[in-house]
Structures are given as structure tokens and as C-alpha cells.
Amino acid sequence: MYFSNTIIVTLSLLAPLICSTPIDLEARTCPTTIIRDPSFESGTTPPTSGGNAWTVVGFLGSSSYSLTQPGSPNGGKYAFTASVYPGPYSPDSGEEVRQTLSTCAGKNYSITADFKFNQTANNACFVRLQYPFKTGVGSVTTYSATPGLTPNVWSTTGSFFQAVGTSSLLQFFLQCGNRERNFISVDNVKVKEFAGNAY
């Protein structure tokens, strides 16, 4: 009898402590800043390593890159522009600019970005937006001769993804083949939570 009374008293003291302090784990862990310097308005040319926002990977040919003016109508003063130029040993050339996003596992996100080509007469150049998809990657590729594109006129690409962790890699590949040359620009990158399902 004494043992039974002890258990009842102990539980009655603990119960209010367990139930009275709910914890909102989602509010504590989901970041409010998903992407940094989305329109390159810092005016800082992205480095090839260790960037605070964007980082550039020069991976093909003799291409170079810079911040150019003006940016897209919705982007602001600057845009990221790759001067895509083939090297002596490969018909392919291009640059990659990337950023690790601050995301929340299980949340769905939309991505949009403005882009333009200096010339659209051939279909050898493209902009590829690459993003996380489940445990791999997804991508949207737009070629320079896609119907509706005009040289030096901004267009918009985009997609959706569901984050699987607290960091998600966003990549833009600005590339040409067949020894083609081009200036390819990206600006006004937006990443937002949305209520739909990306799968």
C-alpha cells in the first residue's frame, strides 16, 4: 500500500512539468535567410573558394566571369556574367556558380532566376539550374536557341524542391559546346518556401 501511494504522488508532481512547456522545434530550426546576395548586389565578385554567398567553379575551356551592369529589371544593379570561351583542347567551355542554401528538412521551396544569352543563333549554349531532388539532384536546362528567347533580353527559369537537410546546394551551369562563344548572365535568384508538394 505504501509503495502504491508513492507512485501516485510522484506522477502527479511530474505531469504538470511535462505538459506545461510545449517546444516548437520547427520555429527553432528553420532559417529565415535561405539565400544570401541573391541578386549579386553586394558588388563583390564571387571567389573560387570560401565565398560567404556565391562561389565560382571554372571547369571548362578558357572561360572567365565578372559582375556586369545593368542587372535584370527585377534584379538590380549587377548580374553574374560568364564569358564562355573554348580552350585549345576542348570544344566545351563554361563556368559554374553555386551557393549552399540554408534550408529546413521536409520544407518545400520554389526557385526562380533571370538569365540571358548574348546570342541565340545556335543551340550549343545553355543555362542549367541544378538543385536537390530527394537524395540526388534535379535540373532545368534552357538552350540558347529555345523558341521565344531573344539575344540580350532577360528571361526566367525555375523549379521546385523539397529539402532533405539543413543545407541544400544550388548550382548554375553556364556552358557552350561546339567551340561556340557567348556571354551568359544570371540574376535575381529567388528561393522561397511554398505550401505545395515538390515531389
Side-chain angles (χ1 to χ4, degrees):
M1 190 69 176
Y2 175 80
F3 182 71
S4 175
N5 287 340
T6 304
I7 292 176
I8 293 170
V9 170
T10 302
L11 290 177
S12 66
L13 291 173
L14 287 177
L17 296 176
I18 294 171
C19 300
S20 63
T21 356
I23 299 173
D24 188 349
L25 293 176
E26 184 174 287
R28 179 178 293 181
T29 57
C30 288
T32 55
T33 301
I34 302 167
I35 184 169
R36 300 174 303 282
D37 200 16
S39 294
F40 305 95
E41 292 309 291
S42 68
T44 302
T45 303
T48 55
S49 65
N52 291 325
W54 299 100
T55 300
V56 176
V57 179
F59 66 105
L60 284 172
S62 300
S63 298
S64 61
Y65 66 93
S66 61
L67 296 186
T68 55
Q69 299 182 50
S72 75
N74 297 317
K77 184 176 181 180
Y78 296 105
F80 177 88
T81 299
S83 174
V84 184
Y85 190 90
Y89 306 111
S90 172
D92 300 322
S93 55
E95 299 282 348
E96 175 197 340
V97 60
R98 58 166 63 182
Q99 183 174 152
T100 300
L101 307 174
S102 298
T103 53
C104 192
K107 287 286 186 180
N108 294 287
Y109 296 89
S110 64
I111 314 168
T112 58
D114 297 340
F115 70 94
K116 68 175 181 176
F117 297 97
N118 176 253
Q119 64 86 15
T120 59
N122 63 73
N123 213 32
C125 301
F126 61 82
V127 171
R128 176 171 294 146
L129 161 63
Q130 188 163 293
Y131 49 88
F133 185 76
K134 298 186 178 181
T135 56
V137 295
S139 64
V140 176
T141 302
T142 307
Y143 285 89
S144 49
T146 298
L149 295 184
T150 303
N152 287 316
V153 174
W154 290 97
S155 298
T156 302
T157 185
S159 192
F160 307 91
F161 73 96
Q162 187 178 96
V164 296
T166 57
S167 61
S168 303
L169 182 62
L170 174 65
Q171 299 162 278
F172 290 93
F173 296 91
L174 316 178
Q175 189 172 336
C176 290
N178 296 336
R179 306 199 68 81
E180 291 293 335
R181 304 175 185 181
N182 214 324
F183 292 94
I184 308 174
S185 301
V186 172
D187 195 15
N188 191 35
V189 184
K190 294 181 179 179
V191 183
K192 298 179 179 180
E193 288 186 26
F194 81 108
N197 192 339
Y199 286 170

